[in-house]
Amino acid sequence: MSQEKLLEITNLKQHFKTGRHSVVKAVDGLTFDIYKGETFGLVGESGCGKSTTGRTIIRLYDATDGQVLFDGEDVHGKKSRSELKKFNREMQMIFQDPYASLNPRMKVEDIIAEGMDIHNLVNNDEERKNRVHKLLETVGLNREHANRYPHEFSGGQRQRIGIARALAVDPSFIIADEPISALDVSIQAQVVNLLKQLQKEHELTYLFIAHDLSMVKYISDRIGVMYFGKMVELASAEDLYKHPMHPYTQSLLSAIPLPDPDYERSRERFTYDPNDHDTSEEPEFREVRPGHWVLCTTKEFDHYKKEHGTSVKN
């Protein structure tokens, strides 16, 4: 992983009106960077805003406020058709539901080649077919699958088709929005290992969105934890697991089961209560130690510094 920023997100907000006077703050002031070549894991419970964050980054939603810079360029700024086309090629998405994300009326060859056709990446039908066959083999399928329809495949195979479709335009950044949550446990590891392999082969950068912290730790370099539209903690995967600071992160980690029945019977789960927080001031995202950020008040910040060692400037 390099230290060159590919994505810079500053105070990103995505608010939805649900009535005349009601607003849902799905994403409420996120600030973080993603470096070239890394996998940034984004975790949190259902409804916390993590999928909305991904969809806003890729412009499926227009941001309510804030800035998203991709390779130094403003994603949500005014763009010409050619600029949008270039951006759409560089950034792709793998969706959560492998059943709903593929057009049932299209053959696999046409599904995968759709991006190639839009971006004029092939010169003739033969080249188009050969590239589709190569992509199918890259994701662990075979060329005979090109003439079939989505309903003829299992969930894991469909997700591999979705991955091939994302790779078809040679992107540099892929948002994987809970790509394994709809799959059997036995298939999940296969898909994650495939994503790791493709990252090395194609020099990809990932935003990996999920709620399974154990799987996110396995694939991610750094992890951001979201709670009700805000990021409450951000650190390297290893540091987050060894030294979770925010009570919500601690509650997520305590919910991960371990393959030890005796230990599981006796251990206590940690339940997060947001009312237990210091309410004397509005919490800010602060760097407690190098690379480890926590949403906290000044009082909580001083406590975290004392408890977790080396501090940095506020």
Side-chain angles (χ1 to χ4, degrees), residues 77-226:
K78 289 183 179 179
K79 292 186 180 296
S80 65
R81 183 172 293 182
S82 62
E83 287 173 326
L84 278 173
K85 199 172 180 180
K86 181 186 174 187
F87 167 75
N88 291 336
R89 182 180 172 184
E90 287 292 327
M91 191 184 293
Q92 287 289 302
M93 195 164 195
I94 301 167
F95 293 93
Q96 176 178 358
D97 188 347
Y99 296 90
S101 61
L102 303 179
N103 189 332
R105 294 183 178 87
M106 292 174 68
K107 287 184 178 180
V108 166
E109 179 178 340
D110 297 322
I111 289 171
I112 294 174
E114 190 172 16
M116 300 180 202
D117 298 338
I118 291 170
H119 294 279
N120 301 312
L121 301 181
V122 289
N123 297 313
N124 52 58
D125 289 343
E126 188 66 25
E127 184 182 349
R128 182 183 191 262
K129 185 175 290 186
N130 288 337
R131 285 194 63 172
V132 169
H133 290 170
K134 187 176 179 181
L135 283 164
L136 283 169
E137 290 168 355
T138 297
V139 299
L141 298 173
N142 60 62
R143 58 181 58 201
E144 285 74 28
H145 290 140
N147 291 318
R148 298 184 186 177
Y149 289 90
H151 73 269
E152 299 178 65
F153 296 91
S154 67
Q157 289 175 319
R158 291 187 197 196
Q159 198 58 289
R160 289 173 186 268
I161 294 167
I163 293 168
R165 176 177 59 185
L167 290 174
V169 294
D170 296 322
S172 58
F173 180 63
I174 291 179
I175 297 173
D177 183 13
E178 303 216 36
I180 59 173
S181 64
L183 306 179
D184 292 341
V185 174
S186 59
I187 306 299
Q188 290 181 357
Q190 294 177 20
V191 173
V192 168
N193 286 331
L194 172 63
L195 289 172
K196 290 185 76 168
Q197 176 191 333
L198 293 172
Q199 184 173 38
K200 290 179 182 178
E201 294 174 354
H202 297 267
E203 299 181 345
L204 294 167
T205 304
Y206 290 143
L207 172 61
F208 189 87
I209 299 168
H211 59 264
D212 182 350
L213 259 171
S214 56
M215 190 61 78
V216 171
K217 179 181 184 290
Y218 175 67
I219 194 173
S220 301
D221 297 292
R222 293 185 302 139
I223 298 173
V225 180
M226 281 189 71

Side-chain angles (χ1 to χ4, degrees), residues 60-84:
L60 290 179
Y61 301 141
D62 290 326
T64 303
D65 197 6
Q67 187 179 57
V68 178
L69 296 181
F70 178 74
D71 223 1
E73 294 187 16
D74 186 0
V75 169
H76 290 275
K78 289 183 179 179
K79 292 186 180 296
S80 65
R81 183 172 293 182
S82 62
E83 287 173 326
L84 278 173

